[in-house]
Amino acid sequence: AQRVTQPEKLLSVFKGAPVELKCNYSYSGSPELFWYVQYSRQRLQLLLRHISRESIKGFTADLNKGETSFHLKKPFAQEEDSAMYYCALWMDSSYKLIFGSGTRLLVRP
Amino acid sequence: DTEVTQTPKHLVMGMTNKKSLKCEQHMGHRAMYWYKQKAKKPPELMFVYSYEKLSINESVPSRFSPECPNSSLLNLHLHALQPEDSALYLCASSRTGTGGGGYTFGSGTRLTVV
């Protein structure tokens, strides 16, 4: 069955430390993976998509089909990165976007 | 205009009330979505409209009734809800309904059923 797994509910790091938010997926079709971010009291917004291979706010994510992973990374965390991060999978077989359970990133000063 | 606008932001309704949630976008997106998000949980898909036609209903109870009057508007009509339906209801849109491309989300309507 298709699913998105984010194993960490909470990730706490100090400012300037590297960050890696883990995401694994299970899908037999051709996946499109996304990272969405929800800052406190703000709307859910698209952060990254794997097909763009871009870096947004210093974050990058690489799709690893062999390991079925799409981990989100940033070399030096900033306090303003504190937010809820959701990994999402677009399924071309059903035209649905499903979300992982989310990881709350807390960056301490 | 690059936003999805949802009204109202907050809604309190009794179990016998009828109310509607409204969602609007003017980005020319042809797919629109309703998601439900409970506290500390990810969004869960409820309905998908593609080119103003309902294409996906995720077995949502009939007390939730979606409507897409035109390509810019999406409504969710509520009737005889239960307290467990209290949640944040999110609307989203995307360029088409047949590709990922990333969704644009509204800020949501926080619904409380009393």
Side-chain angles (χ1 to χ4, degrees):
Chain A
Q2 50 268 19
R3 65 177 179 271
V4 179
T5 303
Q6 294 180 250
E8 303 133 332
K9 282 190 175 179
L10 173 66
L11 185 62
S12 180
V13 301
F14 286 103
K15 178 183 172 182
V19 168
E20 183 179 49
L21 287 79
K22 291 184 166 48
C23 172
N24 288 89
Y25 67 92
S26 173
Y27 181 53
S28 57
S30 181
E32 277 192 60
L33 275 297
F34 301 85
W35 277 99
Y36 283 82
V37 61
Q38 194 166 30
Y39 300 101
S40 179
R41 295 192 180 86
Q42 293 189 27
R43 66 186 66 197
L44 195 61
Q45 53 188 282
L46 178 64
L47 180 64
L48 282 179
R49 64 189 80 180
H50 90 267
I51 57 174
S52 302
R53 299 187 63 83
E54 58 202 341
S55 173
I56 303 291
K57 299 185 179 182
F59 285 98
T60 59
D62 289 315
L63 179 62
N64 185 322
K65 290 189 177 180
E67 296 183 359
T68 59
S69 68
F70 188 56
H71 303 326
L72 184 67
K73 300 177 184 179
K74 185 169 182 176
F76 308 103
Q78 303 299 313
E79 289 180 68
E80 55 265 30
D81 295 329
S82 295
M84 179 68 85
Y85 291 80
Y86 291 101
C87 183
L89 166 68
W90 164 260
M91 299 179 290
D92 60 348
S93 60
S94 59
Y95 303 145
K96 293 181 188 178
L97 183 72
I98 62 171
F99 289 85
S101 55
T103 297
R104 181 165 296 282
L105 175 64
L106 179 60
V107 182
R108 300 178 184 274
Chain B
D1 190 351
T2 58
E3 282 197 351
V4 173
T5 303
Q6 289 188 244
T7 55
K9 291 197 185 305
H10 301 274
L11 178 63
V12 178
M13 62 184 289
M15 289 189 284
T16 57
N17 291 160
K18 284 185 182 181
K19 296 286 185 183
S20 297
L21 310 185
K22 182 179 173 182
C23 173
E24 196 166 359
Q25 57 88 15
H26 297 287
M27 295 177 281
H29 288 178
R30 301 313 301 271
M32 296 184 77
Y33 312 84
W34 281 113
Y35 279 82
K36 175 181 177 179
Q37 187 175 24
K38 300 281 270 186
K40 299 185 180 180
K41 296 288 187 183
E44 294 178 3
L45 183 64
M46 299 175 72
F47 302 104
V48 178
Y49 272 84
S50 181
Y51 293 87
E52 296 142 61
K53 288 188 168 51
L54 181 66
S55 58
I56 295 176
N57 176 340
E58 288 288 89
S59 303
V60 179
S62 59
R63 57 186 184 269
F64 295 91
S65 175
E67 178 197 21
C68 189
N70 59 57
S71 61
S72 300
L73 280 176
L74 186 65
N75 298 320
L76 186 63
H77 303 298
L78 314 172
H79 174 53
L81 295 193
Q82 303 297 310
E84 58 264 29
D85 296 321
S86 298
L88 181 67
Y89 288 85
L90 297 171
C91 175
S93 70
S94 65
R95 200 162 43 84
T96 72
T98 56
Y103 291 10
T104 302
F105 281 85
S107 55
T109 294
R110 189 162 300 282
L111 174 68
T112 304
V113 181
V114 297

